[in-house]
Amino acid sequence: KGDAMKDEWTTVSSGGRFVKFTYLEFSEGLAFLTAQIAGHKVVYSIVLPHAEQPFSRRSVERQFDYEFPTTSN
């Protein structure tokens, strides 16, 4: 198994809510992305088996804007 690269950050969505993002990148080309809106128990996650790497923070945020529009409002 290869090493994983991890990035974690918090940003303010266009709707004024804090959103915590996590990006895990594995050497096998797998990427695991999470987003959690502050004060919510639900964690949204996306698994990309063949991700174009490396993802930028903005790329991760755009992926969630597309998959789960509620994270950006």
Side-chain angles (χ1 to χ4, degrees), residues 3-43:
D3 294 327
M5 192 271 309
K6 181 177 181 179
D7 191 11
E8 189 174 284
W9 67 100
T10 303
T11 190
V12 179
S13 72
S14 60
R17 301 187 294 181
F18 285 96
V19 182
K20 178 181 175 183
F21 291 96
T22 303
Y23 170 63
L24 285 162
E25 175 185 298
F26 298 91
S27 61
E28 300 87 19
L30 176 76
F32 181 67
L33 319 174
T34 68
Q36 183 175 24
I37 299 168
H40 292 234
K41 294 179 182 177
V42 174
V43 176

Side-chain angles (χ1 to χ4, degrees), residues 1 5 8-10 14 17-18 24 26 31 36 38 45-48 50-51 58 65 68 71-73:
K1 293 181 180 177
M5 192 271 309
E8 189 174 284
W9 67 100
T10 303
S14 60
R17 301 187 294 181
F18 285 96
L24 285 162
F26 298 91
Q36 183 175 24
S45 63
I46 299 172
V47 176
L48 300 172
H50 303 290
R58 186 63 199 129
D65 288 345
F68 303 103
T71 60
S72 60
N73 295 325

